[in-house]
Amino acid sequence: FPRSRYGGVMNKQMDNNREQLMSIVKTQTKNLHFLEHSSSEANILLDMNHRVLYFDKLGEVYFKKIYNRQLELGEDYTSYLDEVSLQDFLSSFNKAVNGVSVSFEDNFLLSDGRGYIWMELNFTPHYTEKNQLAGVSIGATVIDEKKLWQWRHQCRLMLR
């Protein structure tokens, strides 16, 4: 049988595609490893330049509810934020970059303007096996029920 003139080119292209896919799988596996012990409902992983490395489905959903924007891998996370959120983000991110985990509670106006959502946010530094800073994760847990209970408890105390 005659040899295909393009066979070598096609095989090389398939090998390159396979290598690229394996590289993506390895990178995402590392990203998942960083977040495997997260106690947060939703997670976003950022590199040192604020680029989005990974986000889970709930992270995407919450982000869309608050900012009405779609998260994209590789995008600069700061480009999504308004001025107030940006200042809070940079403060927490910089602390995490310096090795300090940051946790706080805040309420966010929903993008449709129909209410607020209370969240506990956690900025956590993540390190490679060689103890080099790989990135920072933002973990978020909705705490509406907790805040409602605190408000009711405070009202009861005031009525006494």
Side-chain angles (χ1 to χ4, degrees):
F1 293 98
R3 290 185 55 186
S4 171
R5 184 187 302 197
Y6 304 105
V9 173
M10 290 296 289
N11 287 339
K12 187 173 185 173
Q13 182 64 36
M14 287 175 45
D15 288 343
N16 287 340
N17 288 345
R18 187 175 302 121
E19 286 175 24
Q20 287 175 342
L21 288 174
M22 288 306 296
S23 175
I24 291 169
V25 168
K26 287 177 185 177
T27 299
Q28 291 298 29
T29 300
K30 280 185 201 174
N31 293 342
L32 285 171
H33 178 70
F34 288 137
L35 300 175
E36 71 183 336
H37 300 293
S38 174
S39 60
S40 300
E41 293 176 347
N43 295 282
I44 299 171
L45 181 63
L46 307 174
D47 72 6
M48 301 309 300
N49 296 310
H50 312 130
R51 287 188 307 258
V52 178
L53 295 175
Y54 173 83
F55 54 89
D56 58 20
K57 185 63 179 170
L58 211 44
E60 180 180 33
V61 168
Y62 290 162
F63 194 86
K64 179 83 170 158
K65 280 184 178 184
I66 295 168
Y67 295 105
N68 198 29
R69 305 252 333 255
Q70 191 69 40
L71 279 172
E72 297 288 335
L73 293 176
E75 288 294 314
D76 183 347
Y77 186 81
T78 61
S79 70
Y80 295 111
L81 305 176
D82 57 70
E83 285 186 39
V84 173
S85 296
L86 178 61
Q87 295 308 313
D88 291 340
F89 164 80
L90 289 174
S91 173
S92 298
F93 186 88
N94 290 335
K95 288 176 185 173
V97 165
N98 288 307
V100 177
S101 292
V102 178
S103 182
F104 62 93
E105 297 175 352
D106 204 353
N107 62 337
F108 297 88
L109 177 65
L110 298 176
S111 63
D112 63 8
R114 295 185 182 181
Y116 290 86
I117 186 170
W118 274 97
M119 301 186 105
E120 179 182 349
L121 298 176
N122 299 289
F123 285 70
T124 306
H126 294 279
Y127 299 90
T128 65
E129 303 82 33
K130 296 178 181 175
N131 209 28
Q132 294 177 331
L133 188 62
V136 173
S137 66
I138 305 170
T141 301
V142 174
I143 56 169
D144 288 335
E145 292 294 322
K146 173 185 171 183
K147 287 299 184 180
L148 180 59
W149 181 88
Q150 287 176 343
W151 178 78
R152 286 180 178 162
H153 183 70
Q154 188 175 21
C155 287
R156 281 189 212 117
L157 292 176
M158 289 174 40
L159 291 173
R160 289 184 178 180

